[in-house]
Amino acid sequence: MKIKDLFGGEIVGTGSDFIVVLKGKNRLLLQFTSHNIIKLKKEATPYGSSI
């Protein structure tokens, strides 16, 4: 499964290192060992945006 397969799903749970997504009848668990969240300056597209 790819991240793009989760689009259209609903986030139904979160924790310090996981997210649970409900898509259709399936609940999907995403676990992260490490992560970075960066707010991009341009909101139109994440591609080519300045950080």
Side-chain angles (χ1 to χ4, degrees), residues 1 6 12-15 17-23 26-32:
M1 178 171 276
L6 300 174
V12 294
T14 60
D17 62 348
F18 70 90
I19 298 172
V20 178
V21 176
L22 177 65
K23 176 129 187 215
N26 298 314
R27 288 181 8 167
L28 306 163
L29 174 66
L30 284 75
Q31 286 185 303
F32 306 99

